[in-house]
Amino acid sequence: MIRHVVLLTWSEDATDKQKAALAAELAELPGRIPEIRSYRFGPDAGINPGNHAFGIVADFDNEADYLVYRDHPAHRELILGFITPILESRAAVQFAF
């Protein structure tokens, strides 16, 4: 299995409406990309200061399935249309488990 973890921090001008639209689009991805085995996302719980604002965790059976997701048009469109416009910073990691 491959786990993909993404941490996002929003720009100061990111609106609640933009964040809600992103969440709605993220919820649709598993139905559009069958290679996704598990998909969780959400805003930081606010427990520790200095965290990123939002996290995404996606699991795949193997590296090939992750690459399908990474390059899938629905995923690329979501990034360009909903994440990039409000993004300040991003961190990501993929690991086998």
Side-chain angles (χ1 to χ4, degrees), residues 23-46:
E25 290 294 317
L26 286 170
E28 298 294 325
L29 273 188
R32 296 178 183 161
I33 306 173
E35 287 79 7
I36 297 171
R37 289 292 157 250
S38 175
Y39 206 69
R40 302 283 187 265
F41 58 88
D44 181 65

Side-chain angles (χ1 to χ4, degrees), residues 9 22 36 53 62:
T9 297
L22 169 61
I36 297 171
N62 51 53

Side-chain angles (χ1 to χ4, degrees), residues 13-96:
D13 60 344
T15 68
D16 289 341
K17 183 177 179 179
Q18 288 172 305
K19 295 173 198 175
L22 169 61
E25 290 294 317
L26 286 170
E28 298 294 325
L29 273 188
R32 296 178 183 161
I33 306 173
E35 287 79 7
I36 297 171
R37 289 292 157 250
S38 175
Y39 206 69
R40 302 283 187 265
F41 58 88
D44 181 65
I47 298 167
N48 293 321
N51 284 355
H52 287 273
F54 196 86
I56 302 166
V57 178
D59 293 334
F60 305 89
D61 287 339
N62 51 53
E63 183 178 331
D65 285 353
Y66 163 73
L67 293 174
V68 168
Y69 162 83
R70 184 194 70 186
D71 299 332
H72 195 283
H75 180 238
R76 303 306 308 160
E77 289 171 12
L78 183 146
I79 291 169
L80 292 174
F82 294 89
I83 294 176
T84 301
I86 62 173
L87 185 65
E88 179 179 309
S89 68
R90 175 187 179 274
V93 64
Q94 298 79 41
F95 61 90

